[in-house]
Amino acid sequence: NVFNNGVMVIDLHRWRQEQTWVELLRWLPVARGCMGDQFALNLAVREKYDRITWPYNVAPLGHHLIPGSFLPGCLLRRGVVLHWAGGMKPWSRVRNRHYDYLVEPYAP
């Protein structure tokens, strides 16, 4: 049972009280950059976390999907946080252009 740390909310009081940050520092060298810091975070937190509700983590938008298999518009419209999990970020040259309309209003 693992989580994706691309979108997460941390209870800082609990984080400090349980010294989760100490565990994280202990696991970082062991994980050796596997999946960035995500593997180390999962090892440090173990299963002591709550999942956020789907509107706060609408994903995956950053994976190469088969044409026609995109997330439905009704899901995207109700999303609060859109999560580009994967390598195809909105600012990448190679990206899933199907979702460009979601970020164009905010682009410089």
Side-chain angles (χ1 to χ4, degrees), residues 95 97 99-108:
R95 65 182 181 275
R97 295 188 184 276
Y99 298 118
D100 279 0
Y101 76 96
L102 297 167
V103 295
E104 284 172 350
Y106 309 100

Side-chain angles (χ1 to χ4, degrees), residues 3-8 35-39 41-42 83:
F3 66 90
N4 182 301
N5 66 338
V7 177
M8 57 188 259
M35 299 170 57
D37 58 5
Q38 183 168 306
F39 185 53
L41 271 164
N42 273 275
H83 182 182

Side-chain angles (χ1 to χ4, degrees), residues 21-93:
W21 62 276
V22 173
E23 279 294 299
L24 176 59
L25 291 177
R26 187 171 76 85
W27 284 110
L28 280 170
V30 175
R32 301 181 63 202
C34 177
M35 299 170 57
D37 58 5
Q38 183 168 306
F39 185 53
L41 271 164
N42 273 275
L43 291 170
V45 173
R46 294 189 189 103
E47 292 188 21
K48 299 183 294 183
Y49 65 89
D50 298 318
R51 293 201 177 274
I52 56 178
T53 57
W54 74 264
Y56 295 93
N57 191 13
V58 177
L61 299 177
H63 292 287
H64 180 57
L65 299 174
I66 298 167
S69 66
F70 304 109
L71 292 176
C74 60
L75 205 76
L76 296 170
R77 283 189 296 278
R78 290 189 277 169
V80 177
V81 177
L82 304 178
H83 182 182
W84 268 262
M88 300 173 76
K89 308 297 186 198
W91 55 86
S92 301
R93 191 173 52 79

